[in-house]
Structure formats: structure tokens, C-alpha cells
Amino acid sequence: MPEITRDQVKVPADVSADARETYIDNYMAATRGTGRLMLFACDQKVEHLNGDFYGENIDPADLDPEHLFKIASEGVVGVCAGQRGLVARYAADYPEVNYLVKMNSKTNLVKTAQDDPYSPQLHDLEAVLDMRANGVNVVGLGYTIYLGSEYESTMLAEAGQLIAEAHAAGLLVVLWIYPRGKAVTDEKAPALIAGAAGVALCLGADFVKVNPPKPTDDATSAESLAIASAAAGRTGLVCAGGSTVDAETFLTQLHDQIHIGHACGNATGRNIHQRSLDEAVRLTKAISAITLADYEVADALAVFNGEKDFAL
């Protein structure tokens, strides 16, 4: 199992001296002391509206937003990522969960053919710090950039300023970076995914969430991901989980992303929360077994199937 000590945490130089220990606390909490991130993405109620929470092949429990928090509480996750209002409504009942507040969001109603995507920042850092002061265990922030959009300069500027302010307060930042817009002809081209990873590094992000690059004639998705991981440097790269697939397929892809693609974790939403509470909890443990403890796929599947337990 990968483990790091507090002394091994590479604290960015823009973290204020007074916030250094807070940053280390938050980093160790978010990565469960491993340096890897298991991010449970719960921001889709804005991003994808209710289509991800109710319908065919989605467990009825997912319609209740509290389902997300029950999973985060009973399962094994590093951070639960959601919008400030969502976290504020439920966090008091789930104080043990590490939260990552998503600072910007947009719906999927306006398509790229109509207008290039722009996800505006919804509130300032003070609103999040107020929640921390009220006892909510916020360890970091999230922000989405659509690289290649005609609005990319605005999002880059917002993200850069947000990271500077967050680090000064000792908070982590995870950037979601997706190439998207009329200027982008292939959103999952390996070179673009690697480029997005490098942008996250230059903005100072602690982790970057990207889509897995598409396979090519010359490389598998995981092999191309290794190039993106190298481009990310000291910014940890994690892959988006995508739409729900069977557990063995998902866990195999995740294992390859970490051990071939050198990803520093995962960022999974629908694949977890569209299941029943029991199944979702078991999947978080299986995912964490691979992400945080280097389990092989067969052993992680045994965790998912309830044949063995996993805890940190």
C-alpha cells in the first residue's frame, strides 16, 4: 500500500507559512495518507441535471440527494465533491466526510453548436471559508475549465486566482479540464489530454481531472495517459469515471490507468451513485482498494462482491 509521511508532502511555494500545516492536514486527509486521490464526484445534479439520478438502469435510491452523502459516509472515499449549496444542506449530518467544494458549474442544456461552454464561478472563497468555520470539513476546491472554448481566458484567469487564494488558506484545488468548444474537433485526442494536464500544472493545481484519452493505432488509452501524467509533473492526474459500466470493466480500466498510465487516482461519480447504497458502498471500497492500496483487479472484485472487506 502506498503511504506518505507529512514530511513527504510537497507543499507549493504559494501556500502561506501560516497555512502550511493546514495544507498538509488537508492533503493527508484527501489522499488518506497515500498521495493518491479517490474523488467521489457528486456535482452532476447541475452538470447533467436529473438524467443521472432517475431513469432506466438507475437505482431508485439515487433520486434522493442524501444517497450521495450516505455513500460517502459508509464507503471509502478521499473526498466528496459537490457544489457549496449541496454540501451546506447535508454536511452537518455527515461531519466525518472530507468535502471538496465545486466552485463553478453549468448545465448541459446549451450545446457547443449553440455557444462555446463557459462555467462561471458561483461564489467567492469566503463563502467556503465560512462553512469551514462552521465545522464543515472542507479540504479543497474544484473548478472546471473548458480548454479551447472562446471563453477559456476567463476560466483560466478565474482558476489561477482561485488557486492562489485557496493555497494561501491551506486548501487543495482540483481542476476539471476538458477540451471543448467549436475550436476542438477531438475532445479526447491524446495530445489534447496531455496539454490539459500541463495547463493544470502551470496554474498550480494539486490534482487535475481529465477524460481518458482515446486509444489510437499506436497506443492504448492507458499508454497515452502515461504521457499526460508526465506532462502534469507534480500535479496529480486523475481520470473521470464516465458513464456506468459493469464493475469488472471499470476496475480493470482503473487498474490500467494507475499502473500503466501512472494516474494518481480516480474521479468517479455515476459509476458509484447510480447503484443501490449497499452496492455503491462496496464499489467505493473496491475502487479505493486499487487506488489507495494497490490491489489487483481480482482482489478488488472480491471486495465489490462482498467476499472480503476493505478499510483504511
Side-chain angles (χ1 to χ4, degrees), residues 154-185:
T154 300
M155 290 178 279
L156 288 170
E158 285 185 356
Q161 183 62 31
L162 184 66
I163 291 168
E165 294 174 358
H167 279 177
L171 294 174
L172 308 180
V173 179
V174 179
L175 291 182
W176 281 235
I177 302 190
Y178 303 132
R180 193 166 299 167
K182 290 186 283 290
V184 178
T185 57

Side-chain angles (χ1 to χ4, degrees), residues 32 38 40 42 61 64-80 90 93-99 272 275-289 303 308-312:
R32 305 296 289 264
M38 193 296 195
F40 179 30
C42 300
D64 180 359
E66 193 167 2
H67 181 62
L68 303 170
F69 295 86
K70 291 177 180 178
I71 295 168
S73 176
E74 297 180 28
V76 178
V77 304
V79 294
C80 177
Y90 293 91
D93 291 334
Y94 299 92
E96 72 283 358
V97 175
N98 298 322
Y99 293 102
I272 294 173
R275 306 171 190 265
S276 68
L277 177 60
D278 174 68
E279 188 175 339
V281 166
R282 285 188 280 112
L283 186 55
T284 67
K285 292 180 178 181
I287 292 170
S288 291
V303 172
K308 62 171 63 174
D309 196 17
F310 174 80
L312 287 175

Side-chain angles (χ1 to χ4, degrees), residues 1-186:
M1 173 174 160
E3 292 183 279
I4 59 171
T5 66
R6 293 177 65 86
D7 290 341
Q8 291 173 311
V9 177
K10 294 187 181 298
V11 181
D14 58 348
V15 174
S16 66
D18 291 343
R20 183 181 176 87
E21 292 304 313
T22 299
Y23 178 92
I24 295 173
D25 288 343
N26 289 332
Y27 189 92
M28 293 294 283
T31 67
R32 305 296 289 264
T34 69
R36 293 183 184 168
L37 184 67
M38 193 296 195
L39 186 151
F40 179 30
C42 300
D43 60 327
Q44 295 101 342
K45 291 190 79 67
V46 174
E47 301 293 339
H48 301 160
L49 300 178
N50 214 44
D52 275 355
F53 298 87
Y54 180 78
E56 187 177 359
N57 298 322
I58 299 175
D59 192 275
D62 205 17
L63 185 57
D64 180 359
E66 193 167 2
H67 181 62
L68 303 170
F69 295 86
K70 291 177 180 178
I71 295 168
S73 176
E74 297 180 28
V76 178
V77 304
V79 294
C80 177
Q83 289 83 6
R84 183 188 65 86
L86 178 66
V87 173
R89 285 290 180 178
Y90 293 91
D93 291 334
Y94 299 92
E96 72 283 358
V97 175
N98 298 322
Y99 293 102
L100 185 136
V101 176
K102 191 73 188 303
M103 299 294 284
N104 67 333
S105 283
K106 60 175 273 306
T107 75
N108 58 1
L109 292 177
V110 178
K111 307 303 182 186
T112 302
Q114 180 180 347
D115 192 17
D116 272 9
Y118 170 52
S119 187
Q121 189 166 323
L122 303 174
H123 44 77
D124 60 20
L125 178 60
E126 289 303 317
V128 177
L129 296 180
D130 286 345
M131 288 208 306
R132 276 178 57 91
N134 289 334
V136 179
N137 192 27
V138 178
V139 300
L141 309 177
Y143 186 96
T144 296
I145 297 171
Y146 295 105
L147 210 61
S149 166
E150 61 181 296
Y151 306 108
E152 83 165 21
S153 61
T154 300
M155 290 178 279
L156 288 170
E158 285 185 356
Q161 183 62 31
L162 184 66
I163 291 168
E165 294 174 358
H167 279 177
L171 294 174
L172 308 180
V173 179
V174 179
L175 291 182
W176 281 235
I177 302 190
Y178 303 132
R180 193 166 299 167
K182 290 186 283 290
V184 178
T185 57
D186 189 351

